[in-house]
Amino acid sequence: MSRFRFSREPLRLEECRGELQDPLCGGYASFEGWVRNHNEGREVMRLEYEAYETLGCKEGERIIAEAMEKFGVARASCVHRIGSLELGDLAVWVGASAPHRDEAFAACRYIIDEVKHRVPIWKKEHYVDGDSGWVNCERCAEHADTPPVRRTG
Amino acid sequence: MNEIKVEYFAALREHTGLGAEQVRTAARTAAELFAELDARYGFPEMGRLKVAVNDEFGDWDSNLADGDSVVFIPPVAGG
């Protein structure tokens, strides 16, 4: 199993967690991101995730490798849902296991933060009022490594 | 002229109504190709975009080659 992957189906947490079990490890930490019912003052009814999967898997894998290198965790992985999700659904799962808990917590935090800002995944929110829209990450502008592309129109 | 495969995701996919297309173009760089397609489709304002060439993050100003694939990446929103 790839350490970073996308899933069109609901995640089976026992399986995700099972991949991280290791006799070397005494600490396991995980993070779950859930679909919440509001964003920026609007009531959200459901949402859709879409990903550029080929590049997303490569970038996700790089993030996991960075986390393992930086924090010395024994194992780490991340699964992100794509497709249509309802309120309360699990949208993203991150787990890390390590000999001690500090590294596992730190690796989890690093992975989710980097995934949110680097992996090409887009979220479309459907609002209670019938409107919908693609959500833009607030940190993307400062992270973009390119000047804005000039529009011709 | 180069033949470039352009793939669209999210807001750009919805706006163009296309998942992907083959574009015959004189554009030398991804930035020029973006400008050409923006003139055709009138892309929505999305803030700063990144670009991928052949499924890796690329440079807007690097030269494109015949047969390259290009993806324009609007600000992401995972998690």
Side-chain angles (χ1 to χ4, degrees):
Chain A
M1 279 287 211
S2 303
R3 296 181 295 182
F4 182 93
R5 57 189 186 271
F6 293 104
S7 175
R8 284 178 175 71
E9 305 299 324
L11 310 186
R12 287 193 282 267
L13 288 177
E14 280 306 305
E15 283 178 22
C16 295
R17 185 175 167 275
E19 291 169 36
L20 300 181
Q21 287 190 322
D22 188 318
L24 284 171
C25 295
Y28 158 77
S30 67
F31 171 81
E32 296 181 20
W34 302 344
V35 179
R36 65 162 181 254
N37 69 356
H38 64 278
N39 190 32
E40 294 182 357
R42 303 191 72 174
E43 284 184 84
V44 175
M45 199 167 58
R46 65 182 182 88
L47 53 79
E48 290 164 52
Y49 283 105
E50 180 171 335
Y52 173 11
E53 292 183 57
T54 314
L55 179 55
C57 285
K58 289 183 190 176
E59 189 69 357
E61 184 62 33
R62 284 191 279 261
I63 292 167
I64 301 278
E66 288 163 16
M68 296 184 73
E69 168 81 24
K70 273 171 114 70
F71 304 105
V73 291
R75 301 188 187 204
S77 60
C78 175
V79 189
H80 204 297
R81 280 293 311 277
I82 47 179
S84 191
L85 278 75
E86 304 294 328
L87 297 182
D89 281 355
L90 178 57
V92 58
W93 174 86
V94 178
S97 58
H100 304 286
R101 67 185 181 281
D102 282 352
E103 299 91 315
F105 278 123
C108 259
R109 178 67 196 247
Y110 179 83
I111 292 166
I112 187 62
D113 286 350
E114 295 300 307
V115 164
K116 283 176 81 90
H117 295 109
R118 288 165 52 185
V119 177
I121 303 166
W122 298 276
K123 173 161 55 182
K124 185 178 194 179
E125 291 177 336
H126 293 266
Y127 304 105
V128 170
D129 63 14
D131 204 3
S132 65
W134 293 96
V135 177
N136 289 341
C137 147
E138 67 283 3
R139 274 177 57 196
C140 290
E142 68 193 62
H143 271 239
D145 54 8
T146 56
V149 175
R150 275 178 209 90
R151 296 172 57 87
T152 55
Chain B
M1 299 283 269
N2 287 330
E3 181 101 6
I4 306 290
K5 181 189 180 191
V6 183
E7 264 189 282
Y8 298 105
F9 290 96
L12 288 172
R13 176 182 53 72
E14 287 190 343
H15 184 83
T16 59
L18 297 169
E21 64 176 332
Q22 290 292 135
V23 181
R24 255 188 93 68
T25 178
R28 288 163 300 174
T29 64
E32 288 182 12
L33 179 62
F34 184 88
E36 179 182 322
L37 294 170
D38 186 26
R40 184 185 304 172
Y41 296 113
F43 293 143
E45 280 292 349
M46 287 167 294
R48 290 185 179 199
L49 282 74
K50 293 188 179 185
V51 67
V53 179
N54 300 330
D55 294 330
E56 276 298 350
F57 288 109
D59 189 333
W60 283 107
D61 296 321
S62 295
N63 283 332
L64 294 173
D66 189 49
D68 278 353
S69 71
V70 170
V71 179
F72 304 118
I73 302 177
V76 301

